[in-house]
Amino acid sequence: MQKSIPYMQLRGGTSKGLFFLSKDLPEDVEAIKRTVLLAMEGTTEGDPRQIDGLGGAHSLTSKAAVVGPSKHPDADVDYLFLQVVVGKGQVSTGQTCGNILAGVAPFAIETGLVKASDPLTRVRVNMLNTGGICEVLVETPAGQVNYSGTARIDGVPGTAAPVICNYLDVAGSTCGALLPTGNALDEVGGFRLTCIDNGMPVVLLRAADFGLSGYESVEDLSNNLELKAHIEQIRIQVGPLMNLGEVAQKTVPKMCLIAPPKHGGVLHTRMFIPQVVHDAIGVLAAISVATAVVVPGSIAEGVAQLLNPDVSLFSIEHPSGECKVQLNYELLDGKIVVKKAGVLRTARLLSRGELFVEV
């Protein structure tokens, strides 16, 4: 027996995922995870090819969003993010995703959850995984979502209509504090590092401390099994220090190697998410990295090139180009207070219909 479920597939930023209305899925989170796993891989036992499901056999294309009306007084919709751990038979809700979030507002408008305005619709999204509100601005001329435009983001071919995501009060949303350890700089396993959470828990380390330039290709880093094992060992040690507990089976924190910028940005990065080397950088990870740049005494000091101390737009370089982050922050009593963080993304509706899973 197979059960049909209405869905849409959207590209959000540099990711691609299946989008569901909450009313079409079970209420229990574990049951939702099972349904998403079956939809993506066709089995609960794990298949790295995802041959019997709609997944793309890659972490960036094995994502899902569940969207529904919000009970939060300051939000229009609730958004639950699910990450399928490719081939492992696992689904994580331990983090949110800023790229998939870029598709939430268009999906909410397409499904009638939010009524469109002309020419722009503002959708306030309550991020259930971590907490926090994101204000998303979508072009909706004549009340219809516009997907065509001239906005370009690195990691996505062509251009599209801009989707503006303004994250409000997300500092410490997962770990409980912007600097979860209480320090701007820590030492773990003989390596100096900075632990930070401005919407995504991230650990920053200097690539040079591992004998690397920081500009190695994704393929070279992916094939460096010794390096990945070393970074994973540090990640496991740092998890409890970030109030995340045992993280061996979790997708956070993300690990980020940093180096001086090559193309006029403020910092060059290589992200591990957490064991896979990212082709680009996640939105919220980029926000956390950008925030680390302005934290006094962080590992980014002496690596980042911040020519103007009053800058508010940060270009975070990655293997596919750059991610620009707009930070509204101030320094109070020697501590960074982030009021708002904004990024430009794009999104596109790829398909809609019904998918089938075995009951």
Side-chain angles (χ1 to χ4, degrees):
M1 295 293 294
Q2 292 199 109
K3 176 184 178 182
S4 67
I5 304 173
Y7 84 104
M8 291 185 188
Q9 187 180 48
L10 289 95
R11 176 187 60 76
T14 56
S15 294
K16 182 168 61 176
L18 305 180
F19 286 68
F20 303 95
L21 288 171
S22 58
K23 69 180 183 64
D24 294 325
L25 294 182
E27 292 186 8
D28 178 69
V29 173
E30 290 304 314
I32 292 174
K33 287 183 177 180
R34 182 180 186 277
T35 301
V36 168
L37 188 58
L38 289 171
M40 201 74 71
E41 297 196 344
T43 175
T44 58
E45 298 178 1
D47 177 11
R49 303 169 303 160
Q50 298 184 333
I51 196 68
D52 206 32
L54 295 183
H58 191 285
S59 60
L60 299 184
T61 56
S62 299
K63 302 182 176 186
V66 180
V67 184
S70 182
K71 296 180 181 178
H72 194 293
D74 297 323
D76 300 305
V77 297
D78 285 343
Y79 156 52
L80 177 69
F81 170 69
L82 299 103
Q83 174 71 64
V84 174
V85 184
V86 179
K88 301 293 186 181
Q90 299 172 6
V91 178
S92 172
T93 55
Q95 65 179 80
T96 192
C97 177
N99 277 304
I100 289 296
L101 187 144
V104 169
F107 175 75
I109 297 168
E110 294 278 6
T111 55
L113 277 177
V114 173
K115 184 178 180 180
S117 304
D118 182 6
L120 196 70
T121 301
R122 186 187 311 267
V123 182
R124 296 166 299 174
V125 180
N126 177 30
M127 298 177 287
L128 294 178
N129 302 71
T130 58
I133 303 293
C134 185
E135 175 191 72
V136 185
L137 304 178
V138 182
E139 291 185 358
T140 49
Q144 301 293 319
V145 178
N146 178 37
Y147 296 104
S148 299
T150 58
R152 182 186 298 275
I153 59 173
D154 290 327
V156 178
T159 62
V163 177
I164 307 299
C165 302
N166 293 316
Y167 292 87
L168 312 176
D169 193 26
V170 295
S173 55
T174 300
C175 301
L178 179 67
L179 298 174
T181 68
N183 306 314
L185 192 67
D186 292 287
E187 184 171 319
V188 176
F191 288 85
R192 293 185 304 162
L193 49 81
T194 292
C195 303
I196 192 162
D197 173 19
N198 193 19
M200 177 65 70
V202 175
V203 178
L204 285 80
L205 306 107
R206 293 183 179 182
D209 290 344
F210 291 85
L212 302 171
S213 68
Y215 313 124
E216 288 80 5
S217 70
V218 171
E219 182 180 10
D220 285 346
L221 291 177
S222 297
N223 292 333
N224 192 335
L225 301 184
E226 183 179 352
L227 171 69
K228 291 200 297 184
H230 199 170
I231 289 177
E232 178 63 8
Q233 186 180 45
I234 295 171
R235 192 179 80 90
I236 290 172
Q237 291 182 63
V238 86
L241 303 179
M242 296 182 71
N243 303 315
L244 295 171
E246 172 57 54
V247 299
Q249 301 302 318
K250 296 181 180 179
T251 56
V252 289
K254 312 298 187 186
M255 307 297 284
C256 181
L257 297 182
I258 63 172
K262 290 185 69 177
H263 308 293
V266 296
L267 203 62
H268 202 82
T269 63
R270 290 294 184 270
M271 292 292 305
F272 293 73
I273 56 170
Q275 294 92 9
V276 176
V277 184
H278 203 315
D279 293 318
I281 189 172
V283 170
L284 287 162
I287 290 173
S288 288
V289 170
T291 306
V293 169
V294 297
V295 171
S298 81
I299 194 70
E301 278 194 356
V303 180
Q305 291 185 9
L306 194 61
L307 301 179
N308 181 356
D310 297 322
V311 69
S312 61
L313 183 64
F314 298 80
S315 168
I316 305 301
E317 299 177 0
H318 55 75
S320 302
E322 66 172 351
C323 180
K324 291 183 178 179
V325 176
Q326 187 87 40
L327 284 182
N328 182 343
Y329 70 97
E330 60 182 335
L331 191 64
L332 293 177
D333 299 325
K335 296 183 178 180
I336 292 293
V337 177
V338 182
K339 299 178 179 178
K340 182 168 67 173
V343 292
L344 183 150
R345 298 282 87 187
T346 64
R348 189 167 79 87
L349 176 61
L350 302 177
S351 68
R352 72 170 91 212
E354 54 183 342
L355 60 80
F356 295 85
V357 298
E358 291 192 8
V359 178

